[in-house]
């Protein structure tokens, strides 16, 4: 898996990983453990207010944190026309640069959850045109401020670390 995430919540460990639910779609799953030895079966996260269009939804590399006793998640997200969703586009026979025009809504989502399994999208940040441009690596909470640390220019050789402050209380 790529960039799984582990957090302790309500006396259990929550393990989040990427789930390739189809050829063109990436989702996130949850497994729980009380002792880090025995784990529940993977459960696909439920995004309760997800966009209802025909595009393939892609969530990956979650960063989960607690703030005011609630779970929050930052995850890169993009929508794409999948090979199974649109028969007029053969994505296997077009160039990689041509495929970029079929990627929409590329950004990082901020979600919240009470139980760690059902999530609500509450905001977005770090928009970008390509599906893998920015990736949140970690967060720091200090004095009620949430500071996001993320890598910029992921697919290129000139990556660098940046930070971005978000206000969850508004």
């Amino acid at each position: 898996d790529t960039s799984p995430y582990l957090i302790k919540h309500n006396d259990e460990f929550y393990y989040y990983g990427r789930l390739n639910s189809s050829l063109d779609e990436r989702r996130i799953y949850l497994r729980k453990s009380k002792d880090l030895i025995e784990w529940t079966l993977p459960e696909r996260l439920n995004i309760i207010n997800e966009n209802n269009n025909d595009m393939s939804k892609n969530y990956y590399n979650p960063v989960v944190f607690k703030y005011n006793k609630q779970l929050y998640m930052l995850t890169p997200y993009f929508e794409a026309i999948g090979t199974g969703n649109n028969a007029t586009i053969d994505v296997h026979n077009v160039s990689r640069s041509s495929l970029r025009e079929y990627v929409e809504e590329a950004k990082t989502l901020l979600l919240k959850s009470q139980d760690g399994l059902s999530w609500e999208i509450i905001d977005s940040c770090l928009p970008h045109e390509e599906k893998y441009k920015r990736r949140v690596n970690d967060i720091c909470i200090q004095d009620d401020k949430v500071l996001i640390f993320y890598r910029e220019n992921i697919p290129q050789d000139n990556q660098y670390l940046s930070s971005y402050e978000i206000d969850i209380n508004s």
Side-chain angles (χ1 to χ4, degrees), residues 9-28:
H9 180 64
N10 294 337
D11 296 322
E12 282 187 295
F13 294 96
Y14 286 41
Y15 175 94
Y16 293 92
R18 186 179 78 187
L19 170 70
N20 291 345
S21 55
S22 71
L23 177 64
D24 305 308
E25 193 166 57
R26 294 162 193 86
R27 296 292 183 148
I28 298 172

Side-chain angles (χ1 to χ4, degrees), residues 7 9 14 16 64-66 70-72 111-113 116 119:
I7 187 170
H9 180 64
Y14 286 41
Y16 293 92
V64 181
F65 60 99
K66 290 192 279 189
Q70 177 126 13
L71 286 174
Y72 289 88
L111 301 94
K112 70 177 178 177
S113 175
W119 292 83

